[in-house]
Amino acid sequence: MKDNKIYLIHVRDCIARVKEYTLEGKQAFYEDTKTQDAVIRNLEVMSESVKKLPKEWKETHPEILWGKITGFRNILAHEYLSIDLDILWEVVECYLPPLEIAIEAITQKFWNN
């Protein structure tokens, strides 16, 4: 069994990478398939790591749709031919920032437990 902290590290690292990869904005993201692939992969890893976080940790942030994150991972991994770039960009722009805040708070609260 892995230490649950490793999943926090994975989530934080993936969010940081997605932010870095999308710094140039929406148009650059839409025009570069390598960036799209990198973002998709990191969202997939991030979502899998979120799935493995302890339930009690996630319960401290009910504003985050944890189940939807897991479901999104399944779409990225299994329905990859139907991935919509508009939805990906919405995730990057609208859903990652609050997740990042929640993950940082969870890290602060549970890291030394």
Side-chain angles (χ1 to χ4, degrees):
M1 178 181 187
K2 287 188 179 182
D3 184 338
N4 290 319
K5 293 175 189 171
I6 195 73
Y7 302 117
L8 282 174
I9 293 168
H10 286 172
V11 173
R12 292 170 79 191
D13 288 350
C14 289
I15 291 171
R17 287 184 187 121
V18 169
K19 286 172 60 175
E20 177 185 340
Y21 299 156
T22 58
L23 270 176
E24 294 181 29
K26 185 176 183 177
Q27 192 60 38
F29 171 75
Y30 277 69
E31 293 173 356
D32 185 7
T33 57
K34 286 182 187 177
T35 300
Q36 294 164 18
D37 290 347
V39 168
I40 289 167
R41 176 64 180 152
N42 277 278
L43 291 175
E44 187 178 341
V45 171
M46 179 204 75
S47 298
E48 183 65 22
S49 294
V50 161
K51 177 180 169 183
K52 294 181 179 184
L53 291 174
K55 182 179 178 183
E56 72 176 77
W57 292 10
K58 293 185 276 191
E59 287 175 345
T60 64
H61 289 274
E63 75 279 8
I64 302 298
L65 303 174
W66 302 105
K68 294 233 181 222
I69 294 171
T70 300
F72 189 57
R73 180 252 175 234
N74 293 336
I75 291 169
L76 294 173
H78 302 294
E79 298 178 33
Y80 48 85
L81 294 176
S82 63
I83 293 173
D84 184 327
L85 292 181
D86 292 328
I87 292 172
L88 277 179
W89 188 257
E90 182 180 0
V91 167
V92 168
E93 197 170 57
C94 300
Y95 293 96
L96 280 190
L99 177 61
E100 182 177 31
I101 291 167
I103 290 297
E104 290 306 319
I106 289 169
T107 301
Q108 292 297 317
K109 183 170 183 156
F110 294 104
W111 188 262
N112 291 319
N113 291 350

